[in-house]
Amino acid sequence: MRQRDFTRRSKGVLLALSCSILALSTAQAEAKAAAAAKPIPQLVQKDGKFALMVDGAPFLILAGQANNSSNYPAVLPKVWPAIADMHANTLVMPVAWEQIEPTEGKFDFSFVDTLISEARAHNVRLGILWFGTWKNTGPSYTPTWVKTDNKRFPRLTNKDGSTSYSLSPLYDATRDADKKAYVELLKHIKAVDGDRHTVIIVQVENEVGVYGAARDYSPKADALMAQPVPAALLKKLGRQPGNWREVFGDDADEYFHAWSIAIYCDNIAAAGKAVYPLPTYMNDALKDPLNPKQPAGSYASGGPTYNVLDIYKVAAPHIDLLAPDLYTAASNSYEASLKFYRRADNALYIAESGNKPVYARYIFSALGQQAIGFDPFGFDYTGYANYPLGAKDWSKDSVKPFGTVYKLFGGMDRVWAKLSYESQVWGVSEPDDHTAQTLDLGAKWNAKVTYRQWQFGMPEWDPENKAGFPEGSDVPSGGVAVAKLSDNEFLVAGLNARISFGNGPANKDKGMLLDRVEEGHYDAGGKWVFERVWNGDETDYGLNFTGEPVLLKVRLATYEK
Ligand code: DGJ
């Protein structure tokens, strides 16, 4: 090759090279800019209120959780239709240790890839459940090389010396093996989704703890319990130094197990956050909120039950929130649990809820407690039904009660989340005995919520029906959620309920009037779209919500008496 040709050629190569470097750096710069414009999902807190920020703005998780064995590509076509019928904006799906690391050190993320790409196609976000050391307290989702090797990965010892089904949290070998797989999962999610944020939240393990024992009673555990209780925990609980038994007496066994599991999971979560800091949570198989004397072990001892939340808060700073799995339909129990998990240091998130129709109404009280999301269990069309815990004969009809409520909030998931974070929200669900509830909306206003009403007049006016109530209203299904838009203006969403506004103490000498009641909805950009004004019969007997989702903007005023 002649020198001139060579020079011309090499110049061309250089030019092409510098062009592609330029293209690369432009692409990198664009990706960087996109990532900066769409920061990684994050749980934020301000003035005791929480928001899950997704792509830089508050987001309300309206999720459906698939059944346990729906985590394979072949099953997904039976999942998406249920999520669509539900009007959910998020699918919550397990990813199991056994499926991503069937052979030690060899990872398979094919399901994760399919899940993420199909979620995008369905315009749905994802919550990932890490089924690792604990799934409903047992190791069933660990790979064969873990669950069959008690020597390397010891199970805990029951009080009578027998071996428990549950793995002990006291062994680094188990924790490190779990952590390695979890970190690989997070690395992979970052690689395929770091600029898209289809995955918005991760649950670390699933219903940790143990049944049938309060803790590991092995000699190793006994030796650890004889050690001093960590200073940070003493400080948080206001206790004097000593070993676990000295400090906590009868609670020592449960507290020690909770601490051991919490530091184990925190270690895993921290390693995951170091590679890709998605928001994390742990879910809990609940201790009966109405029976403080229920003995540990008859519920999942060591899990983040309401009585050990402080322990988790100290031991697990890399777990963003602790969340209840709500499977008791009784309204007093459900509401009591919501109150336990809504704390100034803990955002309320309904990690699981039963799927019988009566559970759908609890979305209203959860949102009233400033919940960042709701995720009832068992939403797919695989033919599996967890009756008698959940609904029988699972079908499209089972999804409907949840879909109806989600439809109400779905169009305003970001609007609601922003109001919940920056303004004030209230919400109530129909109690089992249908009694009325009062919302204290501040100094100027309040509201009474009643159930089993017609849209007009009073129940006792019904000449046809002796009981006076609308048919079917004996089964509680109602709820109302209210958000403050300005001093005198409220957004009201309701189903099967009547809300009647009234004057608060600051307006007590005045008359109250409904200045304007607009029915409408929010568009995709979060702008209110007016549909009509409610007046006359529609407002003379309170604002009456039927089983059809309706959104109202209500402006209140007073007149001089
Ligand atoms: C709670 C668990 O977390 C779920 O995975 C599931 O097993 C339900 N219980 C029961 O269907």
Side-chain angles (χ1 to χ4, degrees), residues 181-203:
Y182 179 80
V183 167
E184 287 305 317
L185 171 64
L186 270 279
K187 267 190 205 162
H188 189 80
I189 294 174
K190 182 183 182 185
V192 298
D193 194 47
D195 57 346
R196 289 285 295 269
H197 311 139
T198 313
V199 179
I200 56 172
I201 198 162
V202 182
Q203 180 187 286

Side-chain angles (χ1 to χ4, degrees), residues 5-19:
D5 283 353
F6 174 77
T7 318
R8 201 187 300 144
R9 277 254 208 111
S10 54
K11 263 189 187 158
V13 169
L14 272 177
L15 194 70
L17 211 65
S18 60
C19 280

Side-chain angles (χ1 to χ4, degrees), residues 36 48 151 272 328 363 515 536:
K151 256 207 162 71
T328 304
I363 300 166
D515 184 14

Side-chain angles (χ1 to χ4, degrees), residues 441 443-448 488 490 499-517 539-543 554-561:
L441 304 176
K444 290 165 86 176
W445 315 109
N446 58 40
K448 191 169 174 192
N488 302 325
F490 298 91
I499 184 166
S500 310
F501 285 91
N503 277 341
N507 286 340
K508 71 175 185 337
D509 300 324
K510 297 178 180 164
M512 200 272 325
L513 55 88
L514 292 169
D515 184 14
R516 186 174 169 88
V517 179
T539 59
D540 285 347
Y541 299 93
L543 308 175
V554 179
R555 198 165 70 215
L556 304 174
T558 55
Y559 60 94
E560 298 303 326
K561 284 213 275 193

Side-chain angles (χ1 to χ4, degrees), residues 68 131 135-136 206-207 283 325 327 352 377 386 389:
N68 288 165
F131 282 10
K135 157 61 172 96
N136 297 18
N206 188 87
E207 291 195 347
N283 64 333
D325 287 356
Y327 286 97
E352 288 179 37
F377 180 84
N386 67 350
L389 186 66

Side-chain angles (χ1 to χ4, degrees), residues 202-467:
V202 182
Q203 180 187 286
V204 180
E205 310 295 340
N206 188 87
E207 291 195 347
V208 299
V210 62
Y211 294 100
R215 66 169 171 99
D216 185 350
Y217 290 90
S218 65
K220 178 174 174 138
D222 288 346
L224 285 167
M225 275 196 69
Q227 300 286 311
V229 172
L233 186 56
L234 292 174
K235 192 170 166 222
K236 174 90 175 172
L237 300 181
R239 305 291 181 107
Q240 293 307 307
N243 68 31
W244 288 83
R245 184 73 59 211
E246 287 162 352
V247 177
F248 297 121
D250 288 349
D251 291 327
D253 298 321
E254 181 186 12
Y255 284 20
F256 171 73
H257 200 48
W259 175 267
S260 307
I261 293 179
I263 56 172
Y264 181 110
C265 294
D266 188 66
N267 186 282
I268 293 170
K273 285 205 167 189
V275 300
Y276 189 40
L278 282 173
T280 53
Y281 69 101
M282 289 176 71
N283 64 333
D284 181 57
L286 300 178
K287 173 182 164 98
D288 182 348
L290 306 176
N291 178 14
K293 294 220 164 78
Q294 189 189 2
S298 68
Y299 58 89
S301 178
T305 46
Y306 72 84
N307 54 321
V308 299
L309 292 179
D310 281 340
I311 295 178
Y312 269 79
K313 288 295 168 188
V314 177
H318 299 91
I319 301 294
D320 291 305
L321 66 92
L322 304 160
D325 287 356
L326 292 147
Y327 286 97
T328 304
S331 55
N332 56 350
S333 168
Y334 202 102
E335 302 283 353
S337 288
L338 292 186
K339 292 202 172 85
F340 274 129
Y341 285 83
R342 184 220 182 158
R343 303 176 15 145
D345 62 355
N346 195 59
L348 181 64
Y349 173 61
I350 313 310
E352 288 179 37
S353 184
N355 57 30
K356 288 180 179 164
V358 288
Y359 285 95
R361 73 192 200 273
Y362 290 126
I363 300 166
F364 291 100
S365 34
L367 293 183
Q369 300 279 347
Q370 233 256 305
I372 61 152
F374 194 87
D375 176 34
F377 180 84
F379 283 78
D380 57 41
Y381 293 139
T382 52
Y384 182 77
N386 67 350
Y387 179 81
L389 186 66
K392 209 175 182 177
D393 304 326
W394 186 259
S395 70
K396 270 179 177 287
D397 284 346
S398 325
V399 175
K400 211 169 170 204
F402 296 85
T404 305
V405 186
Y406 274 14
K407 202 170 164 196
L408 195 50
F409 292 98
M412 58 160 184
D413 45 8
R414 289 202 181 262
V415 172
W416 179 271
K418 191 168 190 288
L419 287 167
S420 177
Y421 184 48
E422 293 175 0
S423 180
Q424 262 182 294
V425 291
W426 299 263
V428 283
S429 307
E430 183 172 358
D432 292 342
D433 64 3
H434 319 283
T435 47
Q437 295 138 323
T438 302
L439 304 180
D440 174 359
L441 304 176
K444 290 165 86 176
W445 315 109
N446 58 40
K448 191 169 174 192
V449 179
T450 51
Y451 303 96
R452 310 195 72 184
Q453 305 276 1
W454 302 104
Q455 288 173 266
F456 183 96
M458 305 308 288
E460 57 272 20
W461 295 2
D462 180 6
E464 288 171 19
N465 179 351
K466 252 191 21 216

Side-chain angles (χ1 to χ4, degrees), residues 52 59-73 75-95 111-130 189 193 197-203 278 281 349-352 373-382 394 399 406 413:
L52 178 69
F59 179 81
L60 175 66
I61 299 180
L62 297 170
Q65 183 169 148
N67 283 301
N68 288 165
S69 309
S70 301
N71 55 329
Y72 288 85
V75 186
L76 287 176
K78 293 182 176 156
V79 175
W80 301 119
I83 295 302
D85 288 347
M86 198 185 181
H87 302 283
N89 62 19
T90 305
L91 166 66
V92 173
M93 179 61 90
V95 171
F111 171 63
V112 177
D113 291 341
T114 309
L115 179 67
I116 291 177
S117 81
E118 291 191 14
R120 287 177 187 162
H122 288 87
N123 200 19
V124 159
R125 306 274 180 166
L126 290 169
I128 297 289
L129 309 176
W130 172 237
I189 294 174
D193 194 47
H197 311 139
T198 313
V199 179
I200 56 172
I201 198 162
V202 182
Q203 180 187 286
L278 282 173
Y281 69 101
Y349 173 61
I350 313 310
E352 288 179 37
F374 194 87
D375 176 34
F377 180 84
F379 283 78
D380 57 41
Y381 293 139
T382 52
W394 186 259
V399 175
Y406 274 14
D413 45 8

